Amino acid sequence: MKKILMLISDGFEEIEALGTVDILRRCGIEVSLVSVTGSFEIHSSRNIKVIADNKLEEINVDSSLWDAVILPGGQPNADNLRDNDKVVETVKDFYKAGKLTCAICAAPIVFEKAGIIRDKKVTSYPGCLVNESDCIFTAKSVEQDGNIITANGPASACDFAFEIAKALGLSHKAENVRKGMLF
Amino acid sequence: MKKILMLISDGFEEIEALGTVDILRRCGIEVSLVSVTGSFEIHSSRNIKVIADNKLEEINVDSSLWDAVILPGGQPNADNLRDNDKVVETVKDFYKAGKLTCAICAAPIVFEKAGIIRDKKVTSYPGCLVNESDCIFTAKSVEQDGNIITANGPASACDFAFEIAKALGLSHKAENVRKGMLF
């Protein structure tokens, strides 16, 4: 079974985080929703209260144990993730190990800080990156360059999730899930 | 400010419930996520743990205090809602009072039990209703007939939410939210 680490904090975007978990779990992937705040209880951008599966300080996030890491957007979640040294180090570790490294909406700012998107094809929510010109900013809804997958906002969250499932070799399953959800 | 009651139990579909709350709160609507199970903590179909805002037995759900009621799908959530007498009575009360009465995916089975969709245009997840022929089953992604709005599944959840916002007189706001979410 494939294993995905999703890192979240207060202010996460609901569809980007929980819609993505929904779809990936439907695809048979084990997704761990991991709080980086020190608390299990996390409040979304629109104040939905969620209990995370784990806390960052209590699980092993070494990339050798996982198939992918996902960072949802929403504010102040994206800023929180960018300003958390362990999150940035985890992103660098996954990227260097060739594991899928995925972010949506404002969360590609974490990739920018981690220094992994220079000269890479990337998308994000419009106007989020400090230096769009340092990467190849394509403004597509979902973009993939090697082991980096990015997406631009809530409307693309489901396509982002299906793209991640496909990149993990689950194209057939993803297609069945898509049909079952009436996409 | 408009006020919406969303009733949930274990097994709710994540995007249908939480994506809808996300969009409606972005539209400036007060949405109360109300557990019908007796517990604040509710587990979704794909085991995301959510803390509800209220419990059904602790708030006043008289239709005079609200603008709409929404029932998300997912199983066993839809069956739980159908088998809960207070939920069925609440649906009847909202419908008779002319308040917006909304359900998605499998949740229109609650409307069927409440006897409010006979000869009405309705949609649902394929094959959910016991007697599709008692209503005018249109199989559209989102359907409205008078004060009843129904939708067919997770892929239609965002359109369902925008349709509810529009039906509450918030078309302009809904259009801005839609653009901001990059739909």
Side-chain angles (χ1 to χ4, degrees):
Chain A
M1 184 183 257
K2 301 289 182 183
K3 287 183 66 178
I4 294 181
L5 177 67
M6 178 180 283
L7 302 176
I8 60 164
S9 68
D10 296 305
F12 70 85
E13 211 294 324
E14 295 79 357
I15 302 172
E16 293 169 1
L18 309 179
T20 297
V21 172
D22 176 9
I23 288 170
L24 293 171
R25 286 185 179 164
R26 283 174 182 258
C27 289
I29 299 168
E30 186 183 322
V31 184
S32 195
L33 195 58
V34 175
S35 164
V36 310
T37 70
S39 167
F40 276 106
E41 186 175 325
I42 300 285
H43 295 194
S44 76
S45 286
R46 256 62 54 182
N47 205 31
I48 292 172
K49 295 174 276 295
V50 168
I51 302 170
D53 300 316
N54 292 101
K55 295 198 279 187
L56 185 56
E57 59 272 34
E58 291 179 359
I59 60 159
N60 189 338
V61 295
D62 188 275
S63 62
S64 63
L65 303 173
W66 304 86
D67 296 289
V69 62
I70 302 177
L71 310 183
Q75 287 292 22
N77 172 62
D79 285 352
N80 294 338
L81 297 177
R82 180 199 58 201
D83 297 340
N84 184 310
D85 290 343
K86 189 163 181 187
V87 171
V88 174
E89 288 311 309
T90 300
V91 163
K92 286 182 187 174
D93 173 32
F94 274 66
Y95 173 69
K96 286 178 187 165
K99 299 299 176 81
L100 269 190
T101 311
C102 315
I104 181 169
C105 199
I109 63 174
V110 187
F111 292 2
E112 189 174 37
K113 182 160 178 204
I116 66 169
I117 55 171
R118 186 170 287 270
D119 300 326
K120 299 276 180 191
K121 285 188 289 180
V122 169
T123 192
S124 77
Y125 195 82
C128 280
L129 297 178
V130 179
N131 286 304
E132 264 180 21
S133 58
D134 282 352
C135 63
I136 303 162
F137 192 79
T138 66
K140 284 171 67 176
S141 55
V142 182
E143 184 58 83
Q144 178 166 9
D145 189 336
N147 61 327
I148 294 177
I149 296 178
T150 47
N152 67 349
S156 308
C158 297
D159 286 338
F160 174 65
F162 287 120
E163 205 61 31
I164 293 167
K166 287 179 191 168
L168 290 174
L170 301 168
S171 294
H172 183 68
K173 182 71 180 164
E175 202 45 51
N176 285 341
V177 170
R178 184 186 277 276
K179 284 179 192 158
M181 295 176 79
L182 307 183
F183 281 100
Chain B
M1 184 184 257
K2 300 290 183 182
K3 287 183 67 180
I4 295 181
L5 177 67
M6 178 180 283
L7 302 176
I8 61 165
S9 68
D10 295 304
F12 70 85
E13 211 293 324
E14 295 80 357
I15 302 172
E16 293 168 2
L18 309 180
T20 297
V21 172
D22 177 9
I23 289 170
L24 293 171
R25 286 185 178 164
R26 282 174 182 258
C27 290
I29 298 168
E30 186 182 321
V31 185
S32 195
L33 196 59
V34 174
S35 164
V36 309
T37 70
S39 168
F40 275 106
E41 186 175 325
I42 301 285
H43 294 194
S44 75
S45 287
R46 257 61 55 181
N47 204 31
I48 292 172
K49 296 175 276 294
V50 168
I51 302 170
D53 300 315
N54 292 103
K55 296 199 280 187
L56 185 57
E57 59 273 34
E58 291 179 0
I59 59 160
N60 189 338
V61 295
D62 188 275
S63 63
S64 63
L65 303 173
W66 303 86
D67 296 288
V69 63
I70 302 177
L71 310 183
Q75 286 294 20
N77 172 63
D79 285 352
N80 294 338
L81 296 177
R82 179 199 59 202
D83 297 339
N84 183 310
D85 290 342
K86 188 162 181 188
V87 170
V88 174
E89 288 310 310
T90 299
V91 162
K92 286 182 187 173
D93 172 32
F94 273 67
Y95 173 69
K96 286 179 187 165
K99 299 298 176 85
L100 269 191
T101 310
C102 315
I104 181 168
C105 198
I109 62 175
V110 187
F111 290 3
E112 189 173 39
K113 179 156 180 207
I116 66 169
I117 56 172
R118 186 172 287 271
D119 301 327
K120 299 277 180 190
K121 285 189 289 182
V122 169
T123 191
S124 77
Y125 195 82
C128 280
L129 297 177
V130 179
N131 286 304
E132 264 180 20
S133 58
D134 283 351
C135 62
I136 303 162
F137 192 79
T138 66
K140 284 171 67 176
S141 55
V142 182
E143 184 58 84
Q144 178 165 9
D145 190 336
N147 60 327
I148 294 176
I149 296 178
T150 47
N152 67 350
S156 308
C158 296
D159 285 339
F160 174 65
F162 287 120
E163 205 60 33
I164 292 167
K166 287 178 192 170
L168 290 174
L170 300 168
S171 294
H172 183 68
K173 181 71 180 167
E175 203 44 51
N176 285 340
V177 169
R178 184 185 278 275
K179 285 179 190 161
M181 294 177 80
L182 308 183
F183 282 100

